[in-house]
Amino acid sequence: MKKILLLLGLLSLPLSAQVLSQKQEFTKQDTLRGTNTHYRDWWDVKHYKISVEPDFKTKSIKGHTTITFDAVKKSETNELQIDLQAPMQITSVQFNGKKIKAWTTDGHVVFIPVGPKVKAQGNQLTLGFDGIPKEAKNPPWDGGWIFRKDEKGREWMSVACQGLGASVWYPNKDYLGDEPDHGMELEIITPKDLVGVGNGRLISQKPKGDKMIYTWKVTNPINNYNIIPYIGKYVNFKDTYQGEKGALDLDYYVLDYNVEKAKVQFEQAKSMLTSFEHWFGPYPFYEDSFKMIESPHLGMEHQSGIAYGNRFENGYLGNDLSNTGWGLKWDFIIIHEAGHEWFGNNITNKDVADMWIHEGFTSYSESLYTESLFGKQAGSDYVIGTRYSIANEKPLIGIYGVNHEGPTDMYNKGANMIHTFRTWLNDDVKFREILRGMNKTFYHQTVTTKQIEDYLAQQSGLDLKLFFDQYLRTPRIPLLEIKQEGKDILYRYNYVVDGFNMPVRLVGDQITLYPTQEWKVLKEGKFKSSFDVEVNPNYYIDTFVIK
């Protein structure tokens, strides 16, 4: 990005003077939710078995959750922490077959006294629950349960709870760092004339009085917030994709009056899978199928059950988020939310403060998909086109331990940071190997920013410490200043962390500059003026010409 300014002079300011404070008030509840407390760290979730029955008229739900877990160390308190957000409440507790009559509630947290006799493996905690859950007013951004009616006036229900947390509706260990290693089962009890759809594969469907019970099973680890019931007048159609690991089942559920539109629009899933398996490696959940479900909100990356609400049209509700035209060539929700199957669902951040891992890489997947279809220049144009929306007001990393995510810049700034890394690397074969290697190395794992930083540095051979400090931990992007003194053209970095020295290539890639915070003379090339020096636009930096 080049910005030309006519200035008498520009003072060099230390970046520390520009970094915005992240000071914010947090509560005990924030810490309990966002930290792996000593009520959590001694037990490891292996499996969830959830049953839920919603009542559309009262907007209430009831059910039970069975958590199977192992003890990984001795508990300090003989208690464990369960998360369930008020006004939902726990109605009963059984631990290893025995009733527990009393427990302690502290806000959105319940402490269960399990005593000292905890097995090393295979403990089972069954929790009854009911209540009127928080209702989402503007899903998926404002989370909660969704009670709506479709175009024909029929009941349509689901949940969106990323960020807010799965504890908004069912009791669980609402901590991203502990996924159920052996997956989950979700039993959805619906009126007889409606269909219940969940993640993974349908393993049973049976009547119970005037109700139907649909049971879905996921065999792989899964984020708590990804476990989602969908209830509506759904119709199912299927397809198959021949992928890197063989035949992948494609399973689609849409409202009955949208079947024909969906059959056309959802064809994009195949080109998406071709592109993403090329760049990222095999789809991570072959065992559980690939599924998209029409939802009463725009969309969400629910694992092996992606929520889709983009009106069966290209773009983002018909708009191009890059303002380049490329974003109208494909369906944003299909591409973006499916990208999360690799970054977000396969590779998951342990702390929501590191959500740039989910959103930065997934936002860049939009560019890679564009590149797969229309060429590298189109992909570059797309990601560069998203820069207009970047605020650069806060660091991308949020605040650890209090369930605090970074700003929305984690999407497009995160993508442009990755594009800048790729441009610096200047080796697309290696870049692809790195992306595929990430999904293999961290397969079905929860990770930290440090792990991702270390992996990228090790695999690329680049010293990336200050690069990540700049783009993740400060709000500013590097400023390359250029000026002319007599016949000499000089350049330096400003607004960077101390020692930042990422080299940049000029347009045409024939000349490389090696800026630091000290002025250097440009000796390469024959430039008549400082205004003729133009940096390759694939680097996400600002360039100022001083006069």
Side-chain angles (χ1 to χ4, degrees), residues 1 3 5 7 10-13 470-471 476-482 491-496 500 515-517 540-546:
M1 179 186 297
K3 295 180 181 177
L5 294 186
L7 300 175
L10 185 63
L11 297 176
S12 176
L13 298 177
Q470 179 73 39
Y471 284 95
R476 294 298 301 266
I477 62 172
L479 172 68
L480 181 67
E481 295 178 343
I482 302 171
Y491 62 92
R492 72 172 179 185
Y493 274 134
N494 200 352
Y495 299 112
V496 291
F500 185 87
T516 64
Q517 289 162 283
Y540 183 43
I541 66 173
D542 277 335
T543 303
F544 286 136
V545 176
I546 304 171

Side-chain angles (χ1 to χ4, degrees), residues 8 36 48 65 143 164 175 181 218 251 264 302 375 441 460 498-499 524:
L8 294 177
N36 193 22
Y48 284 108
T65 300
L164 177 62
Y175 171 64
D181 300 305
V218 168
D251 214 6
V264 174
H302 303 144
T441 300
S460 68
D498 286 342
E524 302 86 353

